[in-house]
Amino acid sequence: MSEPTPILTTEKLVMQFGGVTAVDHVDFSLNPGELRCLLGPNGAGKSTFFKCLTGQLKPTSGTIRLNGQDITGWETHAIVNLGVGIKTQVPNLFDGLSAYENIRMAARRRHLKPMAKERAEEMLEKCGITHLARREVGLLAHGQRQLVELATVLAPAPALVLLDEPAAGMTGAERDRLADLVLETARRAAVVVVEHDMAFIRRIAKFTTVFNRGAIFREAMIGDIMTDRAVQEIYLGKQADVAA
Amino acid sequence: METSLHRDAGFWVMIAIGLALLVAGPLVWDLFQIMQITQYVVLSVYVLSLSYIWGFGGILSFGQAAFFGLGAYTFSVASINMGETTFPFLLAFGLPALFGAALGYFMFYGKLSDVYMGVVTMVVTLIFWKLINHTAGPEYAIGDARLGGFNGIPSVPVLNVPGKPEAWLDPGQMFQVFMAILVILYIVLRTLIASDFGRVSLGIRENETRAALLGYDVRRHKVIVFAIGAGIAGMAGGMWATYQTFVDPNVFSLEMSAKALIWTMAGGVGTLAGPIIAVVVLQYLSLKLGEMHVLNNNFILGGIMMVLVLLVPKGGLPTLRDALVALKARTPAALQR
């Protein structure tokens, strides 16, 4: 069997802020339908790398390709319109609008009016937030906001989903639901998850990329990562011992 | 918030009031009252230009007077040269809208922050004001129209019936035309705000990042909203010029920009009806205060403004609406006792 064409690649991606190199010559590749977790200690460059992928930052050098197309330096909305769903670290929502309206507007970008309505209702149910539909999202708890944002990300049915710390601030039950949602999404789309929460990672992770000091430190199956001494030293430390 | 437009009682009430005034006004008011109320109508059109872009697009402009003045001068110069007013009136919308699109392009594609946007819009207004004040000499003329510097342009034509340059509107008719424009503008803006385009504007107002993350081009969208606001302000300027049959550089004054902000704030950001009511109330008040000659007019208005900001920061109409909702919620409990 031949290698599948990757949906997302970066070549020698570099992002510098003044004298600091936050992302240092990263070669990354993601296959269609793959679920990939990005791990790494604070300041490892995960989020900067993520922001380069989403167009929120313009990389200093290197290229990013989506389905073979060079998207380096594109505006966020243009990248999104190629079929990418993005969830940011701090939930970005239309605070003054209802949860339903937030999700409907996400669906409306890709669907006609009646379809968008249907799709929004479907997403509310799938994410278990139907009871929040009419609530103003600015007034919701952090974990609830995370779920609303996830629903807005998934509503247009993107082919590539980028999630930055989706489990942050969630209760155990919300986290479990999120894990199921991510696994289900991964059946139809490629998914990249940046996450700290080890309990969450263990539920969803397969092939995993570990960042350290702006570069890729290891890429391996999560089981091997967890037992990798060097990885434990840079990052996992006690958390890994507890999880194991 | 998400009730559809045709089920919103306030929408129909506003239209009904507008139409009733349009029909009955000229029958019951004397000439002076008609002139006075026509002024409120023109300024209402003007305030809607800011209420729309600020309340429903999140764009705070300190320079609506730039477009207002540009519309006033465009109408004056064009109508003097052409000897009729229909095309100049359209131009009073079109030219400021184009200028707004160009200015908006540099501001939004240049990703200026809100503060700098405020500064730029204000400075543009000042530049216009300075520039037009220095056009007193006879060499400053566009066709037959001398710009006249600080003296302004006298004898700006009165609006005529389209296609009949000799058929000038009398004050009653002019009031009716302007009132019709206001009603139509109100309907158009409410429809626009309720449309998907308007929903995206609201989204951008709430969170630009999320709007971009959903695939909406925030910059382009803001340029369009800003240009629409500029066009409306320009149209109001054209109405102002023909209403006064005179235009001078004060249409570009910072006071003119500030008034739009004050009316919008007093009436309530995020409503259209509120700022219109604020125009009528505050203009009437400043007229009456001016007649009394007791205290400086601006001093009292400034005082009123401070009280409004401190006591009703949300603005008049939203505060009233909240009070009504609170009252409704309390009534059943009171009845049970």
Side-chain angles (χ1 to χ4, degrees):
Chain A
M1 210 179 88
S2 65
E3 276 283 295
T5 327
I7 184 168
L8 180 73
T9 56
T10 70
E11 290 155 34
K12 298 191 173 60
L13 194 71
V14 176
M15 182 73 218
Q16 288 175 323
F17 299 103
V20 180
T21 307
V23 174
D24 192 3
H25 294 87
V26 170
D27 295 314
F28 178 85
S29 173
L30 183 77
N31 290 325
E34 188 185 345
L35 169 60
R36 180 80 64 94
C37 287
L38 301 187
L39 302 182
N42 282 329
K46 306 183 298 289
S47 284
T48 307
F49 176 68
F50 187 91
K51 280 185 175 159
C52 289
L53 297 182
T54 61
Q56 288 167 293
L57 289 175
K58 308 250 176 286
T60 312
S61 66
T63 47
I64 306 168
R65 283 179 207 283
L66 186 64
N67 284 318
Q69 183 166 22
D70 189 345
I71 59 161
T72 319
W74 281 30
E75 291 289 331
T76 300
H77 67 88
I79 295 173
V80 168
N81 287 336
L82 292 176
V84 182
I86 300 162
K87 196 206 153 307
T88 48
Q89 195 170 352
V90 179
N92 269 300
L93 289 162
F94 305 135
D95 279 349
L97 308 182
S98 70
Y100 168 77
E101 183 59 23
N102 266 273
I103 300 163
R104 193 197 69 89
M105 273 180 65
R108 182 71 182 91
R109 185 70 194 144
R110 209 156 304 285
H111 300 292
L112 291 172
K113 250 182 183 169
M115 179 72 183
K117 197 166 170 257
E118 219 169 85
R119 183 84 187 138
E121 277 155 14
E122 186 189 326
M123 288 317 302
L124 279 166
E125 200 183 321
K126 197 180 258 182
C127 296
I129 47 175
T130 308
H131 60 292
L132 304 175
R134 298 278 150 205
R135 297 270 301 278
E136 207 178 301
V137 294
L139 305 174
L140 297 179
H142 188 72
Q144 295 173 325
R145 287 165 60 83
Q146 295 272 48
L147 284 173
V148 173
E149 195 182 27
L150 191 70
T152 67
V153 170
L154 299 182
L160 171 62
V161 179
L162 307 173
L163 305 172
D164 197 354
E165 300 198 16
M170 283 196 168
T171 63
E174 282 169 341
R175 199 177 54 206
D176 288 346
R177 177 178 285 278
L178 177 72
D180 293 340
L181 275 168
V182 170
L183 288 172
E184 200 208 313
T185 305
R187 270 190 250 135
R188 267 171 286 106
V191 182
V192 176
V193 183
V194 175
E195 190 49 76
H196 275 302
D197 189 323
M198 284 315 294
F200 180 71
I201 293 283
R202 285 180 68 86
R203 277 209 53 182
I204 63 163
K206 291 170 192 143
F207 198 69
T208 302
T209 301
V210 181
F211 271 74
N212 190 37
R213 293 165 186 266
I216 292 179
F217 183 76
R218 276 284 189 289
E219 285 193 310
M221 297 305 286
I222 185 69
D224 300 334
I225 294 283
M226 299 290 264
T227 52
D228 189 315
R229 273 287 149 208
V231 170
Q232 284 176 11
E233 265 167 37
I234 62 154
Y235 168 49
L236 299 171
K238 281 177 188 160
Q239 270 191 354
D241 297 337
V242 172
Chain B
M1 181 196 306
E2 282 142 34
T3 47
S4 55
L5 193 53
H6 61 269
R7 272 184 285 158
D8 181 356
F11 175 64
W12 296 111
V13 168
M14 284 302 285
I15 293 173
I17 293 174
L19 291 178
L21 290 176
L22 191 157
V23 175
L27 301 175
V28 293
W29 295 323
D30 62 33
L31 184 64
F32 177 76
Q33 285 171 324
I34 286 178
M35 295 298 284
Q36 199 55 44
I37 290 161
T38 305
Q39 190 197 73
Y40 300 160
V41 173
V42 175
L43 295 176
S44 294
V45 171
Y46 172 54
V47 81
L48 286 186
S49 76
L50 182 70
S51 306
Y52 166 61
I53 66 166
W54 187 12
F56 300 92
I59 302 169
L60 179 49
S61 161
F62 286 86
Q64 286 309 91
F67 307 117
F68 182 79
L70 196 59
Y73 271 87
T74 301
F75 175 85
S76 305
V77 169
S79 59
I80 287 171
N81 278 298
M82 300 173 80
E84 67 99 33
T85 59
T86 311
F87 183 71
F89 193 77
L90 297 176
L91 213 55
F93 180 93
L95 197 73
L98 274 180
F99 178 67
L103 184 63
Y105 174 80
F106 288 112
M107 290 193 304
F108 299 124
Y109 280 72
K111 298 203 168 146
L112 286 193
S113 68
D114 289 347
V115 177
Y116 286 100
M117 237 210 68
V119 172
V120 168
T121 50
M122 194 190 273
V123 167
V124 165
T125 314
L126 272 172
I127 291 172
F128 270 113
W129 187 74
K130 273 274 177 201
L131 211 64
I132 207 77
N133 260 311
H134 284 88
T135 57
E139 66 273 29
Y140 297 106
I142 302 175
D144 298 332
R146 268 191 58 188
L147 294 178
F150 48 82
N151 291 315
I153 304 175
S155 61
V156 174
V158 173
L159 221 52
N160 61 254
V161 178
K164 293 182 190 165
E166 308 79 34
W168 291 358
L169 301 185
D170 66 38
Q173 289 167 328
M174 194 188 270
F175 162 76
Q176 288 183 314
V177 170
F178 283 4
M179 196 70 207
I181 289 175
L182 180 59
V183 171
I184 292 168
L185 179 64
Y186 179 75
I187 295 172
V188 167
L189 285 181
R190 287 293 304 261
T191 309
L192 187 66
I193 290 161
S195 72
D196 276 313
F197 179 88
R199 295 290 172 89
V200 175
S201 301
L202 287 186
I204 290 172
R205 181 193 71 187
E206 293 297 324
N207 190 329
E208 283 191 21
T209 309
R210 178 37 74 193
L213 290 174
L214 292 185
Y216 295 104
D217 189 341
V218 173
R219 306 163 307 171
R220 197 187 63 192
H221 201 94
K222 283 179 106 169
V223 168
I224 295 171
V225 169
F226 190 67
I228 293 172
I232 296 168
M235 181 172 73
M239 291 161 80
W240 186 249
T242 188
Y243 159 77
Q244 294 199 311
T245 65
F246 168 74
V247 58
D248 72 4
N250 282 331
V251 287
F252 286 115
S253 64
L254 288 182
E255 188 189 341
M256 207 61 218
S257 283
K259 274 182 167 173
L261 287 164
I262 290 170
W263 291 326
T264 302
M265 270 164 66
V269 181
T271 73
L272 295 180
I276 295 176
I277 297 167
V279 166
V280 176
V281 172
L282 292 177
Q283 279 301 102
Y284 180 78
L285 218 60
S286 74
L287 178 76
K288 287 293 150 194
L289 291 172
E291 280 172 1
M292 283 179 358
H293 298 293
V294 185
L295 262 170
N296 183 295
N297 198 351
N298 288 332
F299 182 74
I300 298 179
L301 279 180
I304 292 173
M305 202 52 227
M306 280 172 64
V307 172
L308 274 176
V309 169
L310 289 174
L311 295 184
V312 274
K314 277 181 175 174
L317 198 63
T319 307
L320 204 66
R321 205 157 48 194
D322 290 354
L324 280 176
V325 170
L327 203 68
K328 247 189 212 161
R330 255 172 46 192
T331 317
L335 285 176
Q336 281 164 12
R337 252 180 248 149

